[in-house]
Amino acid sequence: MIESCKVAWSCPSNIALIKYWGKKPGQLPINPSLSFGLQKARTKTSIEIARASTHKINFLFERKKSSFEKRVISYLNELHYEFPWIENYSFLIESENSFPHSAGIASSASAFGALALCLTDIDWQIKGKDSSEASFFEHASRIARLGSGSASRSMYKGFALWGKTNKISGSTDGNAIPVPWNGTHPVYNDLRDAVLLVDSAKKEVSSSVGHELMNGHPFKESRAKQAHQNLSDLLQIMKSGNRDAFAEVVENEALSLHALMMSSNPSFILLKPNSLKIIEKIKLFRQQNSIPISFTIDAGPNIHLLYFAEHVHKVHAFIKNELVEFLENGRWLDDRLGEGPEKME
Ligand code: DP6
C-alpha cells in the first residue's frame, strides 16, 4: 500500500456524431455511439490521496466548493467494489474546465473522463500493474462510463466508438474503443467544430431524465435500428471520404435525437428559435457555396458547426457575417478534433 500520491489528467469533452440516447441497467447503452474528442474544451483534474483512518473526500471546482461534489462523492462510493483501496484514503480532488461556465456546454464527459483517468492511474500504481497503454485507456473508459456514459468516449485521440456493433471487432457496451485510423479517410483528421452558443440557461430537462424517457418510448426499437444503420453508413462514408454523405448522416442523427425528445411522454423541446434559424442558414450556405459543412447538436440548444480545415476562412467569415446575430452575446468556440487526454506533471 502506498502512503500518498498525487496524479493529474487533462481530459477532452467529445461530440457525438452517432448519438447515445437511452440506456439499460448498469449504464449500458441501447445502441452504439460514435464521437470525436475536442481539443480545447477540456477538464483538468488532480487527485491527491493520503492514507487515513477515516475516509474523507474534499472536492473543489475552480478552487471553490461546488454542487458537483455530491455527484463525485456518490461516484467514488459506487466505485468501492472496483477500487477497494478507496476507503483507506482521504481525497483532495481539484478540477477546472477550460471552457466558460456559462457556455452551456455539457461538461460531464470531460469531468468524469478526467476523474476516471486519475482513479485508474492511482489503481495501477497501487497494484503495480504494468500492462499495455491500450488496456489502461480501456480500463479508464469503463470507469468513466460508470460516471457518465458519454465520458467513456473521451479517452482517445480521434474517433471513439462505444457500444457493441458487428461492424468493428472488439466493440463492447462496457467501454469505448478507438476507431482505427486506417478505417478513416485522411480528410477527417482535421475536422473542425465551431460551437455556436445559442442559449446558456440551465436545461429544462436533464440528459439523465431524457435517457429515462427512452424506456417505454414508442420509437425505442426503431431508434436502436436506425442508430445501427446510421453507424454502419457513417463508418463506410468515413472510409471513402465522401463529405456530402457525411453531412446527411450526421444531421439525421442530430435531428432524430431531438425528434425523440419531442415524441417522449412527457415531451420536451431543447432547441430554441435561434437554433432553427442557424440550421436553416447552414443548409443554405452549403447549397449556395458547395462547401461541405454540416451540423450536429447535443442535448441542448447549441449548434456544433462541423467543417474541414481547408474551408476555415470561408466558414469563419460565414459565422461572423451571418450567424453571430443568432448567438448569445455573439459567442462561439473555435474547436477541432483533438489530441486526446494528457497526463499532467
Ligand atoms: C445527447 O453521457 O450526459 O450528448 O450517461 O446519464 O451521464 P449520462 O448521459 P450523458 O448523455 C449524453 C447524451 C448526448 C449524446 C451523446 O453524447 O452521445
Side-chain angles (χ1 to χ4, degrees):
M1 273 285 176
I2 51 181
E3 279 309 308
S4 64
C5 82
K6 182 172 181 179
V7 297
W9 281 84
S10 158
C11 183
S13 183
N14 69 75
I15 177 73
L17 301 177
I18 303 294
K19 306 293 182 182
Y20 147 54
W21 200 239
K23 43 180 143 176
K24 300 182 269 194
Q27 189 92 315
L28 299 169
I30 62 172
N31 62 262
S33 58
L34 184 145
S35 65
F36 66 91
L38 297 173
Q39 179 57 18
K40 295 189 191 161
R42 307 178 76 92
T43 299
K44 285 182 194 163
T45 296
S46 67
I47 298 187
E48 198 172 352
I49 57 163
R51 263 175 85 81
S53 45
T54 45
H55 159 73
K56 264 201 320 228
I57 300 167
N58 198 354
F59 174 80
L60 297 177
F61 180 69
E62 297 181 349
R63 295 175 198 279
K64 292 192 199 82
K65 281 273 174 204
S66 132
S67 55
F68 194 59
E69 184 177 54
K70 253 181 147 171
R71 208 165 152 195
V72 172
I73 291 175
S74 76
Y75 177 55
L76 259 77
N77 285 339
E78 278 166 30
L79 285 178
H80 277 204
Y81 74 97
E82 286 276 348
F83 298 144
W85 49 264
I86 284 181
E87 59 193 19
N88 301 323
Y89 291 90
S90 66
F91 283 70
L92 173 61
I93 307 177
E94 296 193 74
S95 199
E96 60 185 49
N97 286 346
S98 62
F99 43 89
H101 299 287
S102 58
I105 292 188
S107 56
S108 70
S110 54
F112 280 102
L115 272 172
L117 284 159
C118 290
L119 291 167
T120 309
D121 192 343
I122 296 172
D123 184 60
W124 281 42
Q125 288 188 34
I126 288 177
K127 296 188 180 142
K129 281 198 199 170
D130 188 20
S131 315
S132 72
E133 203 176 284
S135 58
F136 173 80
F137 288 106
E138 278 180 18
H139 187 186
S141 172
R142 187 165 58 78
I143 299 301
R145 185 201 95 224
L146 299 169
S148 178
S150 55
S152 67
R153 298 185 310 238
S154 277
M155 299 297 135
Y156 308 105
K157 177 179 171 165
F159 297 90
L161 172 79
W162 171 40
K164 179 84 192 131
T165 162
N166 57 15
K167 302 290 167 196
I168 301 252
S169 73
S171 60
T172 156
D173 287 346
N175 58 265
I177 57 167
V179 175
W181 278 107
N182 61 6
T184 55
H185 192 278
V187 293
Y188 298 105
N189 296 355
D190 206 354
L191 191 57
R192 303 292 174 102
D193 179 8
V195 190
L196 307 172
L197 304 171
V198 173
D199 187 357
S200 60
K202 197 172 177 305
K203 286 187 288 187
E204 284 140 44
V205 179
S206 69
S207 287
S208 26
V209 172
H211 283 293
E212 245 173 71
L213 288 171
M214 282 307 287
N215 294 320
H217 195 293
F219 303 144
K220 183 176 173 182
E221 307 282 298
S222 36
R223 164 57 193 157
K225 232 169 126 189
Q226 177 199 34
H228 277 278
Q229 186 60 51
N230 277 344
L231 174 65
S232 159
D233 291 350
L234 189 67
L235 289 169
Q236 274 302 325
I237 289 164
M238 288 179 58
K239 235 183 212 164
S240 72
N242 180 340
R243 297 186 291 189
D244 297 327
F246 176 84
E248 248 174 63
V249 174
V250 165
E251 293 180 2
N252 176 264
E253 272 294 306
L255 295 175
S256 298
L257 169 72
H258 284 265
L260 289 166
M261 298 174 191
M262 292 180 206
S263 49
S264 297
N265 185 12
S267 69
F268 60 106
I269 302 178
L270 298 181
L271 296 175
K272 298 286 174 196
N274 280 352
S275 317
L276 300 180
K277 290 207 173 106
I278 293 170
I279 291 172
E280 262 176 16
K281 286 271 182 191
I282 291 174
K283 288 186 166 188
L284 198 64
F285 178 86
R286 177 168 63 218
Q287 214 178 18
Q288 290 175 342
N289 298 278
S290 301
I291 292 179
I293 61 171
S294 55
F295 63 84
T296 187
I297 322 169
D298 259 346
N302 299 327
I303 305 291
H304 290 249
L305 169 55
L306 304 176
Y307 61 101
F308 297 93
E310 64 183 275
H311 302 120
V312 62
H313 298 300
K314 285 188 176 147
V315 173
H316 284 194
F318 165 55
I319 295 172
K320 283 174 195 148
N321 299 334
E322 295 192 47
L323 301 182
V324 155
E325 62 175 299
F326 304 115
L327 306 181
E328 189 179 74
N329 304 319
R331 281 200 309 164
W332 62 283
L333 308 174
D334 179 20
D335 216 329
R336 63 181 68 185
L337 185 138
E339 293 294 314
E342 191 191 348
K343 181 160 175 159
M344 298 165 71
E345 292 315 320

